[in-house]
Amino acid sequence: MNSKINSRVRLEDLARALKLSIATVSRAMSDSSRVKPETKQRVLSKAKQMGYRSNQIAKSLSSGKTNVLGVIIPRYDEPFFIEVCRGIDYYVRKHDYRILINSSRNSFKYEKENVLAFERGTVDGVAMCFTHETNSYEHVEELIDRKMPLVLFDNISHKIDGAGHVKIDDFSSAVKAVEILIKHKNNSIGYIGGTSKKSVFNQRFDGFVEAHKKHHQSFKTRHVLNCKSYHQEHEFYEVFNFLSKLQDVPNAFFCSTDNYAILCIKALTKLGYKVPQDIEVIGFGNLHYSNMFTPELTCVSQPSFKMGEKVAEMLLNKIDKGFFISNTDQNSEIVLPTKLVYRDTTR
Amino acid sequence: MNSKINSRVRLEDLARALKLSIATVSRAMSDSSRVKPETKQRVLSKAKQMGYRSNQIAKSLSSGKTNVLGVIIPRYDEPFFIEVCRGIDYYVRKHDYRILINSSRNSFKYEKENVLAFERGTVDGVAMCFTHETNSYEHVEELIDRKMPLVLFDNISHKIDGAGHVKIDDFSSAVKAVEILIKHKNNSIGYIGGTSKKSVFNQRFDGFVEAHKKHHQSFKTRHVLNCKSYHQEHEFYEVFNFLSKLQDVPNAFFCSTDNYAILCIKALTKLGYKVPQDIEVIGFGNLHYSNMFTPELTCVSQPSFKMGEKVAEMLLNKIDKGFFISNTDQNSEIVLPTKLVYRDTTR
DNA sequence: CTGTTAGCGCATTCAG
DNA sequence: CTGAATGCGCTAACAG
């Protein structure tokens, strides 16, 4: 046994000092109405005097509640996910919950590990976003079988029965963005996106295609890049190489993230093009730094903080209800609206 | 009692199914050598078959160890802190620990709340960075009195007895950066930094002053800005206003963060100056996006990920030793080296 | 309003 | 090598 634990003052110590039973002290601490106001006062002041801190672990074991939510994100170093976490955190703190964030480091293997860890009773519910590698769902289905409240967000390729879902309409948002470029009389539009396995990228690309179809316009496959790199610098070179090899550079680009848009602009600038005079660019995300660049980025604004709040709200609801909102329930999916933010990379 | 908990399979269920005692099953699960290899196998396969997951809460209560570290950062939306968290996470996972990140939302009040939460036995140790508001230290001293291993990082104004400290040499790094600007024959150098209460900003500013002193050069107080705003846009306007009101714009700027440097460059560009041809700028931090801007930012590179690893290493050491490395111990402070990264905002 | 008792699930003595 | 018994600190029936 650990000396740290033993040296702490427990309910029993308070009880002894006050010549009360542990039960009464416990009630007083949890502000139960079933205890005389006077003794409640005595307990509280004694607790303060002796520096009592309740042991959350013991509380959890006894009550079956940890007041902690597990959050699994693909990676830490993507501001979007951090924004979502902020939103979750902001919401749940108001309800006396905390969040335990685990990164999957872009790997399905770690994602499964993270899910496993949360099956060990340390959290009351789980919010998660799949990595781009994730293509099987036994791990989350198991989580649900174990009756763990679960809410998925952002990258949802297909619905998981028993889980909640919070997302944006990637497809329609992309359509709208590309339509802007089409309306601006760009007859040749390029696309730069990420690994196509990742559902959101697929959907944004599909939107790109749809917008063309809708307006009876065509695009060229050689104007489409699906980046395979994962580090800023590699990504930049991939984008730069792609652009520099093109004989016919498009008049506009739709990029599936702000990051790609910024790299795209940087590469175009390096190649001597002016944005937006020569070429227009639209990004996707609206990261906190997307307006720090010169020119400021025009992009689809994704409500990341809000998404976090909604995820949290849904998750706490599931926990409170003690059972699962079925997949057919209207509450099991929330689609948040996006909006186009016009700044300086479009004309 | 929660149905979720009751429906789980416990050691007792395994024991019954195998006609063994709980103790033996427990030993088998923890791979004790004091159990026959054959029965260990039986237990393990039965556990797998029945979908057993050990209850971490019960384990923690019994063992006095949670295998979780608490991390308190001033805010989520500053990439530097996230990088440090990544470093901590990366290191501790190798030792079977997880991290619970709490944001203080830039407020001393929340910081104290976070510390309090960690006094409730949910973590085995705490890593933290003070907010810019923090000016008293009873809360962390109490943490130490309660024998909680503690490591402070980044923003350390004075050492806390009993805690570990990990930082960079903000003062010297700033001196070196400003010396570069002086060597480039800039006879008028400006400074843009954050709230001066925050120790790191103070120290960087002191370095700015020292470099001037060392080279017998002077600077003008009207060329110094300590931003009070906290949101990107407000900050930008504060910087822009500051610069636009100057009759004599300096030939160079030293900024106490990359963020300020970027805003500074944006404002200068807007005012018609060219960076670095007309004005040189050096930032501080080397955020992941500091090389995405055009021109790429020259800056002091802070080893944030490494800082996280060091924090984690020190903290796990403290936990393992079960007592505290005293403040006089050489291990109680680590100062990490910085380096200047030359890119395109200096000539 | 208060006390007694029995768990929560696991680790760990102490016997054998 | 295995089992019985105890306790980690707290909550929650049940009694009074």
Side-chain angles (χ1 to χ4, degrees):
Chain A
M1 295 302 112
N2 184 322
S3 75
K4 183 174 73 198
I5 299 287
N6 286 346
S7 72
R8 297 183 48 166
V9 14
R10 304 152 303 163
L11 283 186
E12 192 187 332
D13 302 316
L14 286 179
R16 188 152 27 207
L18 290 160
K19 300 200 192 311
L20 285 172
S21 73
I22 298 183
T24 304
V25 177
S26 170
R27 288 192 196 100
M29 294 304 300
S30 55
D31 201 35
S32 161
S33 58
R34 288 171 42 198
V35 54
K36 210 198 301 179
E38 184 203 320
T39 49
K40 194 186 287 184
Q41 261 317 311
R42 281 179 59 215
V43 171
L44 258 39
S45 72
K46 196 68 171 179
K48 187 161 187 186
Q49 179 205 324
M50 295 180 69
Y52 174 73
R53 295 281 178 272
S54 66
N55 182 325
Q56 182 59 46
I57 300 292
K59 265 176 127 153
S60 298
L61 182 60
S62 175
S63 67
K65 284 208 59 181
T66 61
N67 275 46
V68 175
L69 299 184
V71 181
I72 302 177
I73 55 177
R75 50 195 291 190
Y76 282 116
D77 50 0
E78 206 159 292
F80 168 72
F81 296 126
I82 299 298
E83 257 322 270
V84 176
C85 288
R86 265 190 67 220
I88 299 178
D89 188 68
Y90 182 82
Y91 188 92
V92 303
R93 284 233 182 183
K94 292 186 284 198
H95 300 265
D96 198 29
Y97 273 84
R98 327 188 79 73
I99 60 174
L100 208 164
I101 308 170
N102 277 188
S103 156
S104 301
R105 299 181 193 178
N106 263 330
S107 131
F108 185 40
K109 173 169 164 266
Y110 281 112
E111 178 176 303
K112 284 188 288 190
E113 260 187 47
N114 288 333
V115 170
L116 261 179
F118 289 152
E119 288 178 352
R120 305 203 120 83
T122 46
V123 299
D124 294 341
V126 173
M128 80 180 278
C129 173
F130 293 125
T131 71
H132 68 279
E133 283 187 349
T134 305
N135 51 16
S136 84
Y137 303 93
E138 288 92 10
H139 58 319
V140 285
E141 280 157 8
E142 187 184 312
L143 208 50
I144 290 171
D145 286 347
R146 290 174 186 276
K147 312 223 179 307
M148 178 68 79
L150 173 68
V151 174
L152 302 168
F153 62 88
D154 185 46
N155 186 26
I156 302 166
S157 54
H158 73 272
K159 290 202 205 173
I160 303 291
D161 204 43
H165 303 77
V166 180
K167 50 170 288 189
I168 59 161
D169 190 339
D170 290 280
F171 178 77
S172 307
S173 305
V175 172
K176 276 185 226 157
V178 176
E179 281 190 292
I180 296 299
L181 296 176
I182 293 177
K183 279 185 192 142
H184 286 193
K185 313 273 182 220
N186 294 296
N187 55 21
S188 166
I189 304 175
Y191 170 91
I192 296 179
T195 322
S196 62
K197 274 180 289 183
K198 190 167 174 180
S199 130
V200 290
F201 293 152
N202 272 335
Q203 292 170 29
R204 291 173 197 174
F205 179 68
D206 290 347
F208 172 83
V209 176
E210 172 63 20
H212 279 83
K213 202 175 288 175
K214 191 168 162 190
H215 292 269
H216 311 292
Q217 191 163 318
S218 67
F219 65 92
K220 305 194 175 51
T221 314
R222 66 172 179 279
H223 291 165
V224 171
L225 171 66
N226 285 304
C227 278
K228 287 177 228 52
S229 321
Y230 268 115
H231 292 293
Q232 288 292 356
E233 290 166 43
H234 302 164
E235 278 177 333
F236 175 70
Y237 287 112
E238 200 174 339
V239 172
F240 184 80
N241 278 335
F242 165 74
L243 293 175
S244 62
K245 279 182 192 146
L246 288 179
Q247 301 288 338
D248 55 336
V249 175
N251 337 104
F253 279 95
F254 169 63
C255 301
S256 73
T257 67
D258 280 2
N259 208 43
Y260 288 126
I262 287 162
L263 295 178
C264 173
I265 294 167
K266 187 174 165 186
L268 288 172
T269 306
K270 208 158 187 163
L271 290 167
Y273 297 98
K274 290 226 177 289
V275 176
Q277 295 87 336
D278 304 335
I279 299 175
E280 292 189 283
V281 177
I282 293 186
F284 202 115
N286 200 23
L287 303 180
H288 73 284
Y289 58 79
S290 64
N291 63 345
M292 288 171 61
F293 288 86
T294 312
E296 292 184 12
L297 191 64
T298 293
C299 61
V300 174
S301 176
Q302 213 178 167
S304 14
F305 186 88
K306 183 93 183 175
M307 181 178 283
E309 290 183 304
K310 283 296 171 192
V311 167
E313 184 186 347
M314 201 180 232
L315 194 48
L316 291 190
N317 269 334
K318 273 177 179 280
I319 292 173
D320 278 350
K321 298 206 180 172
F323 62 84
F324 307 142
I325 297 164
S326 111
N327 206 15
T328 53
D329 188 308
Q330 54 179 351
N331 290 322
S332 88
E333 183 176 49
I334 294 180
V335 179
L336 295 172
T338 59
K339 61 168 190 277
L340 206 54
V341 177
Y342 293 93
R343 287 199 280 244
D344 307 332
T345 57
T346 45
R347 289 184 294 263
Chain B
M1 294 305 112
N2 185 320
S3 75
K4 182 174 71 197
I5 297 288
N6 287 346
S7 72
R8 296 184 49 166
V9 13
R10 305 153 301 164
L11 283 186
E12 191 185 333
D13 303 316
L14 286 180
R16 189 154 25 210
L18 291 160
K19 300 201 191 309
L20 284 172
S21 72
I22 298 182
T24 304
V25 177
S26 170
R27 288 192 195 99
M29 294 305 298
S30 53
D31 201 35
S32 160
S33 57
R34 288 171 42 199
V35 52
K36 212 197 303 180
E38 184 203 320
T39 49
K40 193 185 290 185
Q41 261 317 312
R42 281 180 59 217
V43 171
L44 257 40
S45 73
K46 195 66 169 181
K48 186 162 187 183
Q49 178 205 323
M50 296 179 69
Y52 173 74
R53 296 279 180 274
S54 66
N55 182 324
Q56 182 58 46
I57 299 292
K59 266 177 128 152
S60 297
L61 183 60
S62 175
S63 67
K65 283 208 59 175
T66 61
N67 274 43
V68 175
L69 298 185
V71 180
I72 303 176
I73 56 177
R75 51 195 289 189
Y76 283 116
D77 51 359
E78 205 159 294
F80 167 72
F81 296 126
I82 299 299
E83 257 322 269
V84 176
C85 288
R86 265 189 68 221
I88 298 178
D89 188 68
Y90 183 82
Y91 188 93
V92 304
R93 285 234 182 181
K94 292 185 284 197
H95 300 265
D96 198 30
Y97 272 84
R98 325 189 80 74
I99 59 174
L100 207 165
I101 307 170
N102 277 189
S103 156
S104 302
R105 301 181 191 176
N106 264 330
S107 128
F108 185 39
K109 171 168 164 267
Y110 281 111
E111 179 177 302
K112 284 187 289 189
E113 260 186 48
N114 288 333
V115 170
L116 260 178
F118 288 153
E119 289 178 352
R120 305 205 120 84
T122 46
V123 299
D124 294 341
V126 174
M128 81 180 278
C129 174
F130 293 124
T131 71
H132 68 280
E133 284 187 349
T134 305
N135 51 16
S136 82
Y137 304 93
E138 288 92 10
H139 57 321
V140 285
E141 281 157 7
E142 186 183 314
L143 208 51
I144 291 172
D145 285 347
R146 289 175 187 274
K147 313 226 178 303
M148 177 68 80
L150 172 67
V151 174
L152 302 168
F153 62 88
D154 186 45
N155 186 24
I156 302 167
S157 55
H158 73 273
K159 291 203 204 169
I160 303 290
D161 205 43
H165 302 78
V166 181
K167 50 171 290 190
I168 58 160
D169 190 339
D170 290 279
F171 178 77
S172 307
S173 305
V175 172
K176 277 187 226 155
V178 176
E179 280 190 292
I180 297 298
L181 297 176
I182 292 178
K183 278 185 194 143
H184 287 193
K185 314 272 182 220
N186 294 296
N187 53 22
S188 167
I189 306 175
Y191 170 90
I192 296 179
T195 321
S196 62
K197 274 180 288 183
K198 191 167 173 179
S199 130
V200 293
F201 293 153
N202 273 335
Q203 291 169 30
R204 291 171 198 176
F205 179 68
D206 290 347
F208 171 82
V209 175
E210 173 62 19
H212 280 83
K213 203 175 288 177
K214 191 168 160 190
H215 292 268
H216 311 291
Q217 193 164 317
S218 66
F219 66 91
K220 306 199 175 47
T221 315
R222 66 170 178 281
H223 291 165
V224 171
L225 171 66
N226 285 304
C227 279
K228 287 177 227 53
S229 321
Y230 269 114
H231 292 293
Q232 288 293 357
E233 289 165 44
H234 302 165
E235 279 177 330
F236 175 70
Y237 287 113
E238 200 175 340
V239 171
F240 184 80
N241 279 334
F242 165 75
L243 292 174
S244 61
K245 280 182 192 147
L246 286 179
Q247 300 290 336
D248 54 337
V249 175
N251 337 106
F253 279 95
F254 170 62
C255 301
S256 72
T257 67
D258 280 2
N259 208 43
Y260 289 126
I262 288 162
L263 295 178
C264 174
I265 294 166
K266 187 174 165 188
L268 289 172
T269 307
K270 208 158 188 165
L271 289 168
Y273 297 98
K274 290 226 177 291
V275 176
Q277 295 87 335
D278 304 336
I279 298 175
E280 293 190 280
V281 177
I282 293 185
F284 203 116
N286 201 23
L287 303 180
H288 74 284
Y289 58 78
S290 64
N291 62 345
M292 288 171 63
F293 287 87
T294 312
E296 293 183 12
L297 190 62
T298 294
C299 62
V300 174
S301 175
Q302 212 176 169
S304 13
F305 186 86
K306 183 91 184 178
M307 182 179 282
E309 290 184 303
K310 284 295 170 190
V311 166
E313 184 186 347
M314 203 179 229
L315 195 48
L316 291 191
N317 269 335
K318 275 175 177 283
I319 292 172
D320 279 349
K321 298 206 181 174
F323 62 86
F324 307 141
I325 298 166
S326 111
N327 206 15
T328 53
D329 189 309
Q330 55 179 349
N331 289 324
S332 87
E333 183 176 50
I334 293 180
V335 180
L336 295 171
T338 60
K339 62 170 189 275
L340 206 54
V341 177
Y342 292 93
R343 287 198 280 243
D344 306 333
T345 57
T346 44
R347 289 183 296 260

